[in-house]
Amino acid sequence: MNPLPQDMENALTGSQSSHTSLRNVHTINPTQLMARIEAYEGREKKGISDVRRTFCLFVTFDLLFVTLLWIIELNVNGGIENTLEKEVVRYDYYSSYFDIFLLAVFRFKVLILAYAVCRLRHWWAIALTTAVTSAFLLAKVILSKLFSQGAFGYVLPIVSFILAWIETWFLDFKVLPQEAEEENRLLIVQDASERAALIPGGLSDGQFYSPPESEAGSEEAEGKQDGEKPLLEL
């Protein structure tokens, strides 16, 4: 006699859970889900996210800012033509700023190619540019004679070093995590929309509702009747 009430209790619990899950799924608004999906798909159609576009603009700013500082340095040290010939044609590692400009061009080409054209979602490209920039600038500061050439001997290496590490921080802590979060949200919304599509749109919550009290009373009465029959036969 004891196993029968336990089985009845398990059946009642499963029935109530199924009704609760069904009502929870039906409470999802398909209109809102479709609106969210369209919003996410609209972002995908743009080809590049807003935060990635900001990163690419900052990479462009890096190149333009270093170029501007180098042109100013050329003007300050005796005119663009004479200084350009001295630093480019007669390049000297120990006194020229031309290699710092080329380093900015290298960062720009690699990062734009990797994160704007190829839309890479990994940090290896930014790690490469930052490592090369840091190693080159440290070696140049230690071995060269830039500090004896005035303020630009300090400004250009320091600015290039800071900009390279800001790009690394921005990509690693802003671009990649935010894009991964948006992708996860899209997957969750799509999954919820697929589950909501299984429920007919015209049905209401009341049509799915079945009072657990009535089911419990009827099944308990049937259980009692089944249990009393063997006693009467005895």
Side-chain angles (χ1 to χ4, degrees), residues 1 7 10 14 49 53 76-78 105 120 122 132 137 146 148 157 170 185 188 195 202 206 223 225:
M1 298 295 292
D7 294 340
N10 295 335
S49 63
R53 186 184 300 109
V76 170
N77 292 335
V105 174
L120 190 67
H122 200 273
V132 171
L137 290 176
L146 295 180
S148 62
F170 190 78
R185 287 178 181 176
I188 292 173
R195 288 187 284 108
Q225 292 177 1

Side-chain angles (χ1 to χ4, degrees), residues 139-185:
K140 190 172 183 65
V141 168
I142 294 172
L143 301 176
S144 69
K145 303 175 182 177
L146 295 180
F147 293 155
S148 62
Q149 300 183 18
F152 284 97
Y154 299 88
V155 172
L156 274 173
I158 292 175
V159 167
S160 297
F161 187 84
I162 292 176
L163 289 176
W165 279 98
I166 290 177
E167 290 166 355
T168 304
W169 172 84
F170 190 78
L171 180 79
D172 197 25
F173 289 93
K174 295 294 182 180
V175 178
L176 299 182
Q178 185 170 333
E179 288 185 346
E181 183 179 356
E182 289 181 356
E183 185 177 359
N184 290 335
R185 287 178 181 176

Side-chain angles (χ1 to χ4, degrees), residues 28-179:
I28 300 174
N29 192 338
T31 305
Q32 295 179 355
L33 291 175
M34 292 304 299
R36 291 185 181 181
I37 293 175
E38 290 176 358
Y40 284 118
E41 288 178 349
R43 294 176 187 176
E44 292 293 332
K45 289 179 181 179
K46 290 181 181 178
I48 187 171
S49 63
D50 294 336
V51 66
R52 186 178 289 254
R53 186 184 300 109
T54 304
F55 171 77
C56 294
L57 288 175
F58 187 79
V59 172
T60 306
F61 168 77
D62 176 12
L63 174 63
L64 295 178
F65 189 59
V66 172
T67 304
L68 178 63
L69 291 177
W70 184 52
I71 292 174
I72 294 174
E73 183 269 333
L74 292 176
N75 272 326
V76 170
N77 292 335
I80 293 180
E81 293 182 0
N82 295 331
T83 311
L84 195 62
E85 181 181 356
K86 178 183 177 181
E87 292 193 5
V88 178
V89 179
R90 294 177 291 172
Y91 169 76
D92 183 9
Y93 173 79
Y94 297 97
S95 61
S96 177
Y97 296 96
F98 179 59
D99 47 12
I100 298 180
F101 165 74
L102 292 180
L103 199 60
V105 174
F106 165 73
R107 288 196 303 272
F108 175 79
K109 287 185 176 181
V110 172
L111 295 179
I112 293 298
L113 178 63
Y115 298 109
V117 178
C118 299
R119 301 174 194 172
L120 190 67
R121 294 192 177 185
H122 200 273
W123 47 263
W124 69 264
I126 192 75
L128 173 65
T129 58
T130 304
V132 171
T133 299
S134 300
F136 182 86
L137 290 176
L138 287 174
K140 190 172 183 65
V141 168
I142 294 172
L143 301 176
S144 69
K145 303 175 182 177
L146 295 180
F147 293 155
S148 62
Q149 300 183 18
F152 284 97
Y154 299 88
V155 172
L156 274 173
I158 292 175
V159 167
S160 297
F161 187 84
I162 292 176
L163 289 176
W165 279 98
I166 290 177
E167 290 166 355
T168 304
W169 172 84
F170 190 78
L171 180 79
D172 197 25
F173 289 93
K174 295 294 182 180
V175 178
L176 299 182
Q178 185 170 333
E179 288 185 346

Side-chain angles (χ1 to χ4, degrees), residues 4 8 214-229:
L4 184 60
M8 290 171 54
S214 61
E215 291 183 358
S218 61
E219 293 184 2
E220 287 178 359
E222 291 177 2
K224 289 181 180 180
Q225 292 177 1
D226 294 338
E228 289 175 355
K229 286 180 181 180

